Amino acid sequence: KTKTDASGELLLQLMAALKVPDGSVSVFAEGIGGVAFLRAYAQNPVPFAAHHVLLNVQIGQVPDGLQENLEARGADITLCACEQFYSGQPPWA
């Protein structure tokens, strides 16, 4: 496993160490932070609240269990994409 592959597990372990209450974590994440969330939610949705916002997430494969966990918990994810964050930013390569 690469570090990126383990990102969901790391996020879940961090929340467990912090003893966050079940259903209390809403996510607003960009890029690899969004990937970590998707992987974590697919593994264990219990720590997460129902609504999340992800920006510019690129993931090779949607994790197994993600859709089923979202549907079972009545949760949703708003996905956003942004080509340019500020005036004069060079185009994405």
Side-chain angles (χ1 to χ4, degrees):
K1 263 187 190 180
T2 67
K3 289 180 186 176
T4 305
D5 292 337
S7 61
E9 293 172 26
L10 178 62
L11 181 56
L12 290 170
Q13 290 174 5
L14 176 62
M15 290 188 298
L18 294 172
K19 299 180 181 174
V20 299
D22 289 350
S24 67
V25 178
S26 288
V27 174
F28 184 91
E30 188 266 338
I32 59 172
V35 171
F37 162 70
L38 293 173
R39 290 182 172 142
Y41 196 95
Q43 290 176 38
N44 179 13
V46 173
F48 297 102
H51 309 291
H52 312 281
V53 178
L54 304 182
L55 173 66
N56 291 348
V57 174
Q58 296 180 12
I59 189 167
Q61 181 177 348
V62 175
D64 291 337
L66 179 65
Q67 180 178 346
E68 294 83 359
N69 285 344
L70 287 167
E71 290 174 354
R73 297 178 65 82
D76 59 69
I77 300 171
T78 299
L79 299 171
C80 305
C82 181
E83 290 291 324
Q84 190 175 37
F85 287 107
Y86 57 90
S87 178
Q89 177 182 355
W92 297 97

